């Protein structure tokens, strides 16, 4: 039986899969079973923030695994407390952190905090959360309902929880707020929705308006967080102070972890939220190692330099291949090229794979680039060379 046959027979077929069998990764380079190399501009959808086989991360995981991998959250967990402090300090916000295992779970926590706050704060309980079209907040029944894309609200899984509505633009949010609205949840750069950033001024104005109304601003930084946009949080880049921020993808460097952080530190009481695995020794030790790798990269200016280098290469391609692309979009190392049609988008992604380059699909016909934050200039050069080959063979 081939690997493909095995997968098709035994794994539930919920993904449209590529069957390249990667067996090793070094930095931003992946190797398949035939030792063919691929430049990785996807980083497992913004997860491998410090690249593949990062020695510091691997050493931290191995050392932690040898000591303790897991005990329950009924005991204090030293690396969990350390990672919480580190995240809060790097964010610059006066917040507390709850650890989960994924982005969707972090968003579930955010929604629970918002609903409890809605009960505590207002005479008549508020529970409604407004989100935006083209957003993506997860795949649980609640977070899929929070996702502002009708294609995700398939009737098979109904009934969905109540209390979610969607607006087209940030400007539309103001008029949608009613006396049951407790929170507005947004991404600052819509990732799955097409690597679409919002204007800083309009986000700042929304944040100010919500603060005046005691309505919570939840920023879903599952994809934008952990230096992806060039700052520790996109919220830092936008110079706003959200009530609740969620993190996940890049935080563990590939080890599953999610986090919800909030300035409403006492809203949830003991017993009201929890997780078996969330914040365990292994994932939080990995998270700590990731931040200890990325913080110096940021502070030395190296991250900023790589970001500019990558962006210039991408913009160059966008201007030289206007027959395929509408425009270049994104922020930091979260970038995209808007293809003119879905057919062009799909063919380019397929061709790239043949040329030895992994890139991602996103909404609005976008080809998405989410390289590891430790990618080298050589890997960037090589990746774009292969990308151009893919374009030429179109
Ligand atoms: C990926 C993503 C999620 C969901 O994260 P999972 O770990 O897959 O549950 C939620 N929000 C945003 C913005 C994401 O990019």
């Amino acid at each position: 039986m081939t690997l493909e046959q095995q997968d098709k027979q035994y794994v539930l077929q919920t993904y449209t899969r590529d069957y390249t069998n990667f067996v090793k990764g070094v930095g931003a380079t992946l190797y398949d079973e035939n030792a063919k190399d691929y430049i990785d501009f996807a980083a497992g959808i913004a997860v491998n923030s410090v690249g593949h086989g990062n020695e510091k991360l691997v050493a931290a995981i191995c050392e932690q695994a040898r000591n303790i991998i897991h005990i329950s959250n009924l005991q204090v967990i030293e690396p969990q407390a350390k990672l919480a402090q580190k995240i809060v300090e790097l964010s610059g916000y006066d917040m507390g952190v709850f650890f989960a295992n994924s982005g969707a779970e972090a968003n579930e926590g955010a929604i629970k905090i918002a609903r409890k706050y809605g009960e505590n704060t207002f005479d008549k309980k508020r529970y409604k959360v407004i989100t935006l079209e083209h957003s993506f907040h997860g795949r649980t029944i609640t977070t899929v309902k929070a996702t502002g894309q009708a294609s995700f609200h398939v009737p098979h899984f109904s009934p969905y929880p109540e209390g979610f509505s969607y607006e087209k633009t940030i400007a539309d949010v103001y008029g949608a707020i009613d006396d049951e609205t407790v929170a507005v949840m947004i991404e600052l750069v819509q990732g799955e929705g097409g690597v679409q950033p919002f204007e800083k001024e309009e986000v700042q104005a929304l944040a100010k308006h919500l603060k005046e109304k005691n309505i919570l601003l939840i920023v879903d930084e599952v994809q934008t967080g952990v230096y992806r946009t060039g700052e520790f949080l996109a919220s830092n880049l936008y110079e706003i102070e959200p009530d609740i921020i969620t993190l996940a993808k890049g935080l563990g460097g590939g080890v599953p972890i999610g986090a919800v952080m909030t300035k409403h530190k006492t809203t949830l009481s003991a017993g009201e939220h929890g997780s078996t695995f969330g914040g365990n020794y292994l994932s939080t030790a990995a998270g700590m190692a990731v931040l200890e790798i990325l913080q110096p990269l940021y502070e030395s200016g190296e991250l900023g330099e790589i970001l500019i280098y990558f962006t210039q290469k991408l913009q160059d391609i966008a201007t030289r291949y206007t027959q395929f692309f509408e425009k270049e979009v994104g922020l930091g190392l979260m970038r995209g090229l808007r293809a003119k049609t879905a057919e062009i988008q799909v063919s380019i992604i397929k061709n790239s794979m043949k040329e030895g380059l992994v890139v991602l699909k996103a909404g609005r016909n976008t080809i998405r680039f989410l390289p590891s934050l430790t990618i080298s200039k050589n890997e960037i050069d090589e990746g774009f060379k292969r990308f151009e080959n893919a374009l030429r063979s179109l």
Side-chain angles (χ1 to χ4, degrees), residues 123-141:
D123 292 338
K124 182 174 153 242
K125 175 174 173 144
R126 292 184 171 213
Y127 67 99
K128 288 184 184 166
V129 179
I130 299 171
T131 66
L132 291 174
E133 290 185 9
H134 296 289
S135 60
F136 183 78
H137 299 297
R139 295 290 202 147
T140 61
I141 290 268

Side-chain angles (χ1 to χ4, degrees), residues 102-104 107 136-138 187 192 220 222-223 249:
S102 68
N107 287 337
F136 183 78
H137 299 297
E187 299 151 84
E192 310 293 318
D220 179 344
V222 167
Q223 194 162 152
K249 290 191 164 91

Side-chain angles (χ1 to χ4, degrees), residues 63-80:
E63 193 194 327
Q64 189 58 62
R66 262 184 231 109
N67 294 330
I68 308 180
I69 292 177
H70 178 94
I71 56 161
S72 86
N73 269 306
L74 303 175
Q75 306 293 143
V76 71
I77 297 169
E78 190 175 348
Q80 180 183 121

Side-chain angles (χ1 to χ4, degrees), residues 345-356:
Q345 177 201 31
V346 170
S347 312
I348 291 175
I349 293 171
K350 271 203 184 125
N351 275 2
S352 296
M353 201 67 185
K354 278 189 214 138
E355 294 291 338

Side-chain angles (χ1 to χ4, degrees), residues 85-261:
Q85 181 181 353
K86 187 81 180 163
I87 290 172
V88 167
E89 285 175 358
L90 289 176
S91 77
Y93 303 130
D94 180 15
M95 291 186 171
V97 185
F98 174 88
F99 288 104
N101 308 288
S102 68
E105 248 188 72
N107 287 337
E108 290 269 351
I111 293 162
K112 281 175 82 172
I113 293 168
R115 287 190 169 181
K116 178 91 188 284
Y117 167 93
E119 185 171 284
N120 289 351
T121 311
F122 304 97
D123 292 338
K124 182 174 153 242
K125 175 174 173 144
R126 292 184 171 213
Y127 67 99
K128 288 184 184 166
V129 179
I130 299 171
T131 66
L132 291 174
E133 290 185 9
H134 296 289
S135 60
F136 183 78
H137 299 297
R139 295 290 202 147
T140 61
I141 290 268
T142 298
T143 58
V144 93
K145 182 66 177 167
T147 293
Q149 300 188 53
S151 62
F152 280 89
H153 308 150
V154 287
H156 317 304
F157 311 124
S158 64
Y160 289 96
E162 286 175 44
F164 296 93
S165 64
Y166 325 102
E167 295 304 320
K168 250 196 170 54
T169 66
I170 286 183
D172 296 327
V173 169
Y174 295 85
I177 292 170
D178 64 23
D179 64 1
E180 289 182 316
T181 304
V182 71
V184 174
M185 177 153 80
I186 58 169
E187 299 151 84
L188 297 175
V189 184
Q190 291 186 327
E192 310 293 318
V195 203
Q196 183 64 48
F198 289 103
E199 293 294 332
K200 186 173 176 176
E201 291 73 23
E202 71 173 346
V203 171
Q204 288 182 338
L206 177 69
K208 184 163 171 273
H209 181 78
L210 296 179
K211 193 159 281 170
E212 284 162 9
K213 301 246 173 225
N214 284 328
I215 296 170
L216 303 181
L217 175 60
I218 304 172
V219 178
D220 179 344
E221 295 230 29
V222 167
Q223 194 162 152
T224 56
V226 194
Y227 297 106
R228 179 55 57 186
T229 66
E231 294 294 327
F232 178 59
L233 299 175
S235 297
N236 299 134
L237 187 69
Y238 278 69
E239 299 178 281
I240 53 168
E241 287 193 17
D243 294 277
I244 304 173
I245 297 169
T246 55
L247 298 173
K249 290 191 164 91
L251 183 57
V255 178
I257 187 168
V260 49
M261 55 196 292

